[in-house]
């Protein structure tokens, strides 16, 4: 507050209580929302830690293995979208907002859906190769938890933060947290460690559904068109076909060999299907290739 007051004075502007109220109205609900988000993300871990032995909790901790690139990717997309969405919202360019929203979901699906399929097919090999045979019990937990990858495609905050709907984000996070807590307890008692992860997913699903509802309202989209269903369905089809082909590698001896061969086969078949089914337009694919192709001295940029 002191810094902003000094900056405004330097620019010949008096401190503005109206501006401060506007900023706090935006930022405080979002800050409170983050607290409930943290509570939702951590409760199931603390509950299991209190209810089971140290050995069982170690298995649970391995099962909720994060896929680092997923968080990095989605957060990067949200930050870039936030800038573009805010600019479009200020100009009331709702067609542009809808285009960016649908494009982002479709492109995230191209990367995240195959990650989910690949993790499901090779879950046992991934867990045991990384942590050893004593942690094979973490495989069912991992299979449930990795489904969060699919929910991370719904980057509703990129819209809601740009439209100033941070109070709605707060209430969505509160609802997700409050429904997740009893779900974790009940499902853990019914189905053990995988049930606890299922309870965590309940809260996440509630938050995403509420976010989609508000996005549809803000972008004037029907419930059936708020998500690019056709594009995501084609991506899922390509991923499942590639997963079925890659699953033949499970017949090979050795976990490392199965992962290496299966991952390679999956990548090749999936890339081929993405191009053949035009899930990613060829011009977009070529633009990416050009972006990451090294340029040598004396070679023209268009070569």
């Amino acid at each position: 507050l002191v810094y902003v007051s000094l900056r405004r004075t330097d620019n010949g502007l008096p401190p503005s209580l109206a501006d401060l109220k506007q900023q706090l109205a935006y930022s405080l609900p979002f800050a409170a929302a983050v607290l409930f988000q943290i509570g939702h993300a951590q409760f199931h871990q603390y509950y299991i830690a209190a209810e089971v032995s140290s050995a069982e909790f170690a298995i649970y901790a391995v099962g909720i293995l994060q896929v680092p690139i997923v968080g990095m990717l989605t957060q990067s997309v949200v930050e870039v979208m936030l800038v573009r969405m805010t600019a479009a919202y200020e100009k009331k360019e709702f067609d542009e907002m809808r285009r960016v929203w649908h494009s982002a979901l479709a492109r995230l699906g191209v990367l995240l859906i195959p990650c989910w399929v690949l993790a499901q097919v090779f879950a046992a090999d991934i867990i045991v190769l990384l942590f050893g045979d004593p942690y094979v019990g973490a495989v069912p937990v991992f299979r449930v938890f990795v489904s969060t990858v699919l929910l991370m495609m719904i980057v509703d905050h990129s819209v809601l933060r740009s439209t100033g709907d941070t109070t709605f984000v707060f209430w969505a996070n509160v609802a997700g947290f409050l429904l997740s807590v009893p779900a974790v307890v009940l499902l853990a008692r019914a189905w053990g460690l995988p049930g606890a992860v299922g309870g965590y997913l309940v809260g996440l699903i509630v938050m995403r559904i509420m976010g989609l509802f508000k996005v549809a309202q803000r972008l004037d989209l029907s419930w059936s068109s708020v998500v690019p269903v056709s594009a995501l369905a084609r991506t899922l089809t390509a991923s499942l076909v590639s997963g079925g082909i890659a699953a033949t590698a499970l017949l090979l001896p050795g976990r490392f060999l199965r992962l290496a061969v299966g991952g390679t086969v999956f990548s090749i078949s999936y890339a081929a299907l993405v191009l053949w089914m035009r899930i990613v337009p060829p011009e977009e694919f070529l633009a990416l290739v050009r972006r990451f192709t090294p340029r040598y001295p004396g070679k023209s940029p268009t070569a």
Side-chain angles (χ1 to χ4, degrees):
L1 290 174
V2 171
Y3 173 75
V4 172
S5 297
L6 291 174
R7 286 299 302 272
R8 290 182 68 90
T9 304
D10 290 343
N11 294 325
L13 298 171
S16 172
L17 185 60
D19 285 351
L20 176 61
K21 288 181 178 179
Q22 185 179 9
Q23 176 63 22
L24 293 179
Y26 177 90
S27 59
L28 289 182
F30 188 66
V34 171
L35 294 178
F36 281 93
Q37 183 180 15
I38 293 171
H40 167 251
Q42 299 297 325
F43 174 77
H44 64 108
Q45 300 182 50
Y46 281 98
Y47 177 77
I48 291 298
E51 290 293 313
V52 303
S53 65
S54 298
E56 287 179 294
F57 179 72
I59 289 175
Y60 187 78
V62 165
I64 55 175
L65 173 70
Q66 297 279 351
V67 183
I69 193 174
V70 172
M72 294 166 57
L73 175 66
T74 54
Q75 188 60 34
S76 299
V77 169
V78 167
E79 297 303 330
V80 174
M81 286 180 68
L82 183 58
V83 175
R84 298 185 65 178
M85 287 286 191
T86 301
Y89 183 69
E90 289 176 350
K91 298 176 182 177
K92 305 301 180 185
E93 296 175 348
F94 295 107
D95 286 340
E96 175 65 8
M97 292 181 73
R98 286 189 283 267
R99 186 195 68 79
V100 172
W101 164 255
H102 282 145
S103 178
L105 264 61
R107 296 301 174 266
L108 281 172
V110 170
L111 296 172
L112 299 185
I113 291 175
C115 284
W116 172 72
V117 171
L118 198 59
Q120 293 291 346
V121 173
F122 294 101
D125 289 329
I126 291 170
I127 293 297
V128 175
L129 185 65
L130 289 177
F131 301 100
D133 289 322
Y135 290 95
V136 69
V139 174
V141 178
F142 178 67
R143 289 189 187 278
V144 177
F145 182 76
V146 81
S147 297
T148 57
V149 169
L150 299 178
L151 294 172
M152 292 181 76
M153 289 189 301
I154 311 300
V155 285
D156 52 298
H157 283 195
S158 62
V159 176
L160 301 181
R161 287 166 60 187
S162 68
T163 56
D165 288 306
T166 53
T167 300
F168 180 86
V169 172
F170 167 76
W171 287 115
N173 285 10
V174 169
F177 173 73
L178 293 180
L179 290 173
S180 177
V181 168
V184 167
V185 175
L186 294 174
L187 295 179
R189 291 178 179 177
W191 292 300
L193 299 184
V197 184
Y200 165 72
L201 282 177
V202 167
L204 198 57
I205 290 170
V206 168
M207 286 188 281
R208 292 295 177 263
I209 290 177
M210 290 182 67
L212 282 176
F213 175 81
K214 192 64 175 179
V215 168
Q217 186 181 64
R218 282 297 188 186
L219 300 185
D220 194 22
L221 292 167
S222 65
W223 185 246
S224 59
S225 64
V226 68
V227 171
V229 176
S230 176
L232 295 178
R234 289 190 297 143
T235 301
L236 178 61
T237 300
S239 300
L240 291 175
V241 171
S242 301
I245 296 171
T248 57
L250 294 173
L251 301 174
L252 297 173
R255 298 189 184 279
F256 181 80
L257 181 62
R258 289 198 290 268
L259 278 175
V261 173
T264 302
V265 170
F266 182 92
S267 300
I268 293 172
S269 58
Y270 179 70
L273 285 171
V274 165
L275 292 175
W276 180 65
M277 298 173 67
R278 297 181 67 87
I279 294 173
V280 175
E283 58 273 14
E284 208 170 294
F285 179 79
L286 291 174
L288 280 174
V289 171
R290 285 194 294 268
R291 175 70 62 86
F292 293 103
T293 299
R295 295 177 181 176
Y296 301 98
K299 188 176 181 180
S300 66
T302 56

